[in-house]
Amino acid sequence: QGVAAGGCSAAAGVQTRDAFNNVSTATAATTVTLSSSSGGNTFYSDATCTTVVTTRIIALGTSTASFYFRDTVAGGPTLTAAAATFTSGTQTETITSGTLARVAFTTAPKTQLAGACSTAATVQTQDGFGNAANVGAATAVSLGTNSSGGALYSDPACLAVIASVTIAAGGNAASFYYRDTRTGSPTLTASSAGLANGTQVETINPATPVKIAFLTGAQALTAGVCSAITTTQTQDTYSNASPVGAATTLTYSSAPADVTFYSDATCTTVITTRSLGAGATNMSVYFRSNIAGAKTLTVAGGSLASAIQTATINAAGVARLAIVTPIQTVTAGACSAVTTVRSQDTFGNTANVASATAVGLADSSGFGTFYSDPTCTTGIAGVTIAASGNSANFYWKDTRSGSST
């Protein structure tokens, strides 16, 4: 018989015959065991394929028994009817595809490197039992991926991007290629109007490491304070984490060279290098600087491109006052050049005052006087650093020669 996959056959019969192939009635009730070469076949006793059987009985004095079968796998299965003392009977049936029901991937899931073009991937139109089912007219199959780095192509070099393939009329399959720059397990989807979607999960592994990159963001710290954890990662050209093949020495430096690096969160153990073990990607350190300003941090490792990041060191709280203009040599009775007093943190970094701050002025000679103007006309006893400011200017003169503080 020719039966569509999943359909119930017409009645099939088995018959007892003599050695010359003549019909011969059974001399006793004879149990006939039914089997099929197809793993998708089931036998039934009724025309609606409801009651499953594996045997039929040819009654005493009769020569035939009937059954029905149903198979979900397209092809040419061989049915066998066997009974003790009888030569078995066989028959080859034809199971055709059922109605178009879905799109499916027929090639195995891909495992490839980031940036590499896959081998051909094939999608197929199938019936509800997974048998290839031909389309009646040219049928478009839309292709998609849930990866932001993935794309589908029509060629094995992955040059021509596509969004769909077409299965030709009378055919059931079409092929394409896939490339992804993001590591992970992207899901590809093939869909066509009126059919259930096909999906497949691929595996994208990182390419060879080519660079070091900072994973943690740029930090702004107070002078003298230990940083938060700072982590770098070895990556491939597409910025995927990519483990080193052998132990790799990472070297830490800064510009200006006033940043110190540490292996611990309390900034106790000083380091300049760390060893990244074979198969690893991430390494973490801490850093500290006492000098305010922008710092360029660099992490280098062998042939890998270095990681570079800018850190900002801000002054600590106001801790002292300092005269920051150079020491002056002035003729007795003459007015000095401008002299600047500045608020600083404990490390000597310029530090702004929170509110207006009065600064008293004095000299060690006992004959010096202070002024607010460059002609030394308006005498003062002190100056004020404005709120959110950090400096104030004054002038002075002394009528006695010698050194004065």
Side-chain angles (χ1 to χ4, degrees):
Q1 297 184 45
V3 184
C8 196
S9 72
V14 290
Q15 188 176 66
T16 51
R17 295 180 180 179
D18 64 17
F20 304 102
N21 209 29
N22 300 301
V23 176
S24 176
T25 57
T27 58
T30 302
T31 299
V32 179
T33 300
L34 304 173
S35 63
S36 170
S37 63
S38 169
N41 187 84
T42 306
F43 296 96
Y44 300 87
S45 62
D46 59 295
T48 58
C49 285
T50 303
T51 305
V52 176
V53 295
T54 57
T55 62
R56 299 302 286 157
I57 295 176
I58 298 176
L60 170 66
T62 66
S63 62
T64 61
S66 63
F67 63 90
Y68 301 82
F69 64 90
R70 179 176 179 268
D71 202 324
T72 58
V73 179
T78 298
L79 306 189
T80 299
T85 74
F86 286 86
T87 302
S88 297
T90 61
Q91 186 177 79
T92 300
E93 317 297 348
T94 300
I95 308 299
T96 58
S97 318
T99 303
L100 279 173
R102 68 188 187 190
V103 179
F105 285 81
T106 58
T107 42
K110 309 294 183 183
T111 296
Q112 61 199 64
L113 297 179
C117 194
S118 73
T119 54
T122 300
V123 289
Q124 183 182 70
T125 46
Q126 298 179 346
D127 64 18
F129 304 103
N131 300 299
N134 294 346
V135 295
T139 300
V141 177
S142 297
L143 304 172
T145 174
N146 64 353
S147 170
S148 62
L152 297 309
Y153 299 84
S154 62
D155 62 292
C158 285
L159 298 176
V161 176
I162 57 173
S164 64
V165 290
T166 298
I167 297 176
N172 58 54
S175 296
F176 62 94
Y177 301 83
Y178 183 65
R179 178 177 179 269
D180 203 323
T181 58
R182 306 302 302 161
T183 56
S185 302
T187 298
L188 305 190
T189 300
S191 59
S192 186
L195 302 180
N197 294 347
T199 62
Q200 187 176 81
V201 177
E202 318 298 352
T203 300
I204 308 299
N205 294 319
T208 302
V210 297
K211 64 182 179 180
I212 305 169
F214 280 92
L215 289 186
T216 44
Q219 299 184 48
L221 308 174
T222 300
V225 174
C226 194
S227 74
I229 192 168
T230 301
T231 303
T232 55
Q233 182 180 77
T234 51
Q235 298 180 344
D236 63 18
T237 191
Y238 306 105
S239 299
N240 299 301
S242 180
V244 293
T248 300
T249 298
L250 302 181
T251 302
Y252 297 84
S253 62
S254 72
D258 53 55
V259 175
T260 304
F261 295 89
Y262 301 86
S263 61
D264 60 295
T266 57
C267 285
T268 302
T269 305
V270 176
I271 59 164
T272 55
T273 63
R274 296 209 76 177
S275 180
L276 183 65
T281 60
N282 291 12
M283 180 62 72
S284 297
V285 298
Y286 303 82
F287 64 91
R288 181 174 66 190
S289 178
N290 295 335
I291 300 176
K295 315 295 177 181
T296 300
L297 310 182
T298 300
V299 183
S303 62
L304 301 175
S306 298
I308 298 174
Q309 186 178 78
T310 300
T312 301
I313 308 299
N314 298 315
V318 175
R320 69 187 187 187
L321 297 171
I323 295 175
V324 295
T325 43
I327 295 172
Q328 299 184 46
T329 298
V330 181
T331 301
C335 195
S336 73
V338 68
T339 302
T340 301
V341 61
R342 181 165 292 155
S343 52
Q344 297 179 340
D345 66 14
T346 190
F347 304 107
N349 300 302
T350 298
N352 293 347
V353 296
S355 57
T357 301
V359 178
L361 302 173
D363 81 311
S364 62
S365 78
F367 295 91
T369 50
F370 299 92
Y371 301 88
S372 62
D373 60 292
T375 59
C376 287
T377 302
T378 304
I380 56 174
V383 291
T384 298
I385 299 176
S388 300
N390 56 57
S391 64
N393 296 329
F394 63 91
Y395 302 83
W396 53 271
K397 67 179 177 179
D398 202 320
T399 57
R400 288 295 181 93
S401 60
S403 298
S404 179
T405 299

